[in-house]
Amino acid sequence: MTQTQARVDTVIFGGGIAGLWLLNRLVAEGRNAVLFEQDALGSSQTIASQGMIHGGIKYALGGALTGESEAIAAMPGHWARCLEGKGDVDISACNVLSHHFYLWSTRSITSKLTSFFASKMLRGRVNSVKAADRPPAFDSPQFRGSLYRLADLVLDVPSLLDTLAAPHRDRIFRIDWQTAALLRKDRRIIALRFADGLMLEADHFVFAAGAGNEALLNAVNLEQPAMQRRPLQQVLVKHDFPSPLYAHCMGNNPSPRLTISSHRCNDGRHCWYLGGDLATEGVNMDSGELIERAQKELAELFPWINFGTTQWATLKVDRAEPRQTQLVKPDKAYAERPKDCDNLLVCWPTKLTLTPDMANQASTLLGSTPPNGATGAIPEALGRLPRPPIATPCWETLF
């Protein structure tokens, strides 16, 4: 077999939000970077996201702004600049589902929530909603709780994936790990080898494949950084109520009792995608049991809404993250070099919102841009590899 050698500056593995954002960032900085994805772009964790770009208020309800909420307080502004085409990554073509998110309480905890949101800690990040300005889902005299509007964005995740992939489709390839392998020697990854004899070398390799990072680390005999999985089981309900809703319902826990995002399906009907405590506490329920619980929640919280004909489904999702003590939720994005491999970065954004922060960390660790940068040609030999499609969202595949 004839061996062909090719070289780029940076090879990224993983075509979800982390890898695609980082590809855009590095090429803009002048790096000759390419990306490999084994399935569809955004498959698994990214496409299962509700698309919320939040500033941490939903994590601050324990009575103080935590380290986690402070770490992401600037993120909506960062994403807003990118949506205007003025940030580090241009996503101005992305479809924005909503420029704000609602947060509401049932009557039983209204006074507690009102007192908290009136405190000086929130620095104008939350506004009370008057009855005349309520969205259709709360436009009923039966609604007796408190309603607030948060300065949080909601993005159409398939559109976001397409927006990030579009400028660099010539740099994105599908990889079959049955016929490709990473080669490591001493403290460096030396090449990505393909079955046809192509050896792709790079100065830097980046693992940004979410849950796939675990297998990638095993492939190059690295035990650290260790990964954790925090599972969810989301509920989807397809219905005839015509108005979208993007909202958190607060109960007695610091985390939202229920989180709702809305998505218009290809057949014209709407789907509410349900998360929050419903999804975390229901992770070990069978699908029917969790759907029954979700039906009771919506009946209790929205007794005035006629949902018409409904269809129900559940989706299990693993949130892949760097391992924490007692498997708690990380409070920041992660990008680090393993101590035993000098030219590898391992990245997890830990949540969609923090992706730009992860890219900032990765860019700093990669250091100065090589002189030839992105002007270096994409190796011609890569052109024969297949290209991955954009993943299909769950509200199209489950019904």
Side-chain angles (χ1 to χ4, degrees):
M1 180 184 299
T2 302
Q3 182 170 298
T4 303
Q5 288 187 311
R7 187 172 188 85
V8 294
D9 173 67
T10 306
V11 173
I12 302 168
F13 296 103
I17 184 63
L20 288 170
W21 191 282
L22 189 57
L23 176 67
N24 278 262
R25 173 71 179 265
L26 297 184
V27 172
E29 291 176 356
R31 293 187 182 276
N32 190 6
V34 295
L35 180 148
F36 293 93
E37 164 59 43
Q38 67 174 352
D39 296 314
L41 297 176
S43 58
S44 189
Q45 193 169 338
T46 297
I47 199 66
S49 167
Q50 291 183 286
M52 293 176 292
I53 308 300
H54 62 84
I57 294 300
K58 72 172 186 172
Y59 297 130
L61 297 172
L65 290 177
T66 63
E68 178 175 26
S69 62
E70 286 292 88
I72 64 177
M75 285 296 101
H78 188 121
W79 282 83
R81 289 189 296 275
C82 293
L83 285 164
E84 294 172 356
K86 300 176 182 178
D88 55 326
V89 172
D90 183 354
I91 55 170
S92 55
C94 179
N95 180 30
V96 179
L97 296 178
S98 179
H99 289 278
H100 52 259
F101 214 86
Y102 291 98
L103 191 148
W104 91 96
S105 69
T106 57
R107 194 171 186 178
S108 61
I109 66 163
T110 289
S111 60
K112 175 183 176 182
L113 202 63
T114 301
S115 175
F116 178 69
F117 282 159
S119 73
K120 63 182 180 180
M121 291 182 293
L122 296 181
R123 300 185 292 278
R125 289 152 63 182
V126 176
N127 295 302
S128 179
V129 179
K130 297 178 181 179
D133 298 325
R134 291 173 184 168
F138 297 103
D139 188 15
S140 169
Q142 292 179 257
F143 177 64
R144 296 281 193 252
S146 295
L147 184 64
Y148 295 86
R149 186 165 58 201
L150 284 61
D152 292 350
L153 296 164
V154 189
L155 304 184
D156 178 18
V157 173
S159 173
L160 176 61
L161 290 167
D162 188 62
T163 298
L164 290 170
H168 304 300
R169 293 195 188 277
D170 58 340
R171 296 180 176 274
I172 299 172
F173 307 95
R174 195 165 191 171
I175 191 167
D176 181 358
W177 288 110
Q178 300 300 313
T179 59
L182 284 165
L183 305 181
R184 178 187 168 196
K185 183 178 181 180
D186 299 325
R187 297 182 61 88
R188 295 183 66 83
I189 296 175
I190 57 173
L192 174 61
R193 182 183 64 195
F194 295 87
D196 62 1
L198 172 62
M199 297 280 284
L200 179 63
E201 300 173 349
D203 295 327
H204 307 281
F205 292 83
V206 181
F207 293 172
N213 281 355
E214 189 171 51
L216 288 169
L217 287 163
N218 288 337
V220 292
N221 299 312
L222 290 172
E223 296 181 356
Q224 298 294 329
M227 192 185 83
Q228 68 182 28
R229 299 169 188 256
R230 290 189 303 116
L232 296 169
Q233 186 171 194
Q234 306 269 119
V235 178
L236 298 90
V237 53
K238 198 172 184 179
H239 55 78
D240 297 323
F241 183 66
S243 299
L245 178 63
Y246 308 93
H248 304 292
C249 176
M250 299 312 302
N252 293 314
N253 295 330
S255 54
R257 170 180 171 179
L258 184 69
T259 293
I260 301 170
S261 61
S262 301
H263 308 273
R264 190 176 181 88
C265 301
N266 288 338
D267 63 3
R269 301 183 73 207
H270 288 81
C271 175
W272 279 11
Y273 192 24
L274 310 179
D277 289 346
L278 176 75
T280 54
E281 295 172 3
V283 67
N284 293 319
M285 294 182 181
D286 64 48
S287 180
E289 182 183 7
L290 183 57
I291 286 171
E292 183 177 351
R293 176 172 171 177
Q295 290 170 334
K296 290 178 180 178
E297 282 282 83
L298 291 188
E300 179 180 337
L301 295 172
F302 298 100
W304 54 85
I305 290 183
N306 178 7
F307 287 100
T309 302
T310 58
Q311 295 173 269
W312 297 81
T314 62
L315 176 70
K316 291 191 173 182
V317 181
D318 274 336
R319 294 167 291 179
E321 305 157 340
R323 183 174 296 170
Q324 310 290 297
T325 303
Q326 298 182 333
L327 302 182
V328 298
K329 177 171 50 183
D331 63 3
K332 60 184 71 174
Y334 180 96
E336 295 288 347
R337 290 195 186 278
K339 64 179 181 179
D340 296 325
C341 194
D342 296 334
N343 67 335
L344 173 64
L345 283 183
V346 182
C347 302
W348 286 282
T350 72
K351 54 180 63 68
L352 181 71
T353 304
L354 285 169
T355 303
D357 184 50
M358 180 217 73
N360 286 339
Q361 295 180 45
S363 177
T364 299
L365 288 167
L366 289 172
S368 58
T369 305
N372 64 320
T375 58
I378 302 168
E380 184 178 346
L382 294 179
R384 59 180 176 262
L385 295 177
R387 310 285 177 158
I390 303 292
T392 302
C394 55
W395 47 88
E396 299 297 349
T397 61
L398 293 177
F399 296 109

